[in-house]
Amino acid sequence: MNKINYEKTAKMLKVLAEPKRLKILNLLSNANGEMCATEILKAFRVSQPTLSHDMKALVDGKFVVARREGQKTFYGLNPDSIFDIQAALGDICNEDF
């Protein structure tokens, strides 16, 4: 049985509690690599500040990595964090109380 870090898991789930962020993760998972912020913006038809807010939350939560190239920012999934949240939820669901 793994020791569960409930605080860390709750923080990760808080980042994911926004439907638009889940859609962004889904979009990035289907992109087979990175996507430019402009491409993500077109897919969601939201304002640039709104997208920036969500992307910052996903980057700070370590679900997404950002890379600057000139004036463009490219985003890609961080598979380690995806595996971490899957493992944490699995541990919680299998925890004996």
Side-chain angles (χ1 to χ4, degrees):
M1 177 173 67
N2 295 333
K3 182 171 170 67
I4 299 170
N5 185 333
Y6 293 105
E7 287 186 35
K8 178 182 176 186
T9 302
K11 286 179 184 178
M12 293 174 79
L13 290 172
K14 186 176 180 180
V15 171
L16 297 178
E18 168 60 45
K20 189 175 353 117
R21 292 180 192 156
L22 292 173
K23 290 177 185 177
I24 291 169
L25 290 178
N26 184 249
L27 179 68
L28 290 173
S29 73
N30 292 322
N32 295 324
E34 297 176 321
M35 287 186 75
C36 176
T38 307
E39 295 172 310
I40 299 169
L41 193 59
K42 287 178 186 175
F44 286 93
R45 299 179 188 204
V46 296
S47 69
Q48 190 276 328
T50 299
L51 179 66
S52 291
H53 174 77
D54 288 316
M55 296 312 295
K56 180 176 177 1
L58 289 169
V59 169
D60 289 350
K62 298 188 180 9
F63 289 101
V64 172
V65 292
R67 178 179 64 82
R68 298 271 310 168
E69 188 174 296
Q71 292 185 350
K72 292 186 177 186
T73 303
F74 292 87
Y75 296 98
L77 287 182
N78 178 1
D80 292 337
S81 288
I82 303 299
F83 295 136
D84 287 349
I85 194 65
Q86 286 177 325
L89 291 174
D91 289 344
I92 289 170
C93 292
N94 293 318
E95 182 70 17
D96 293 327
F97 289 96

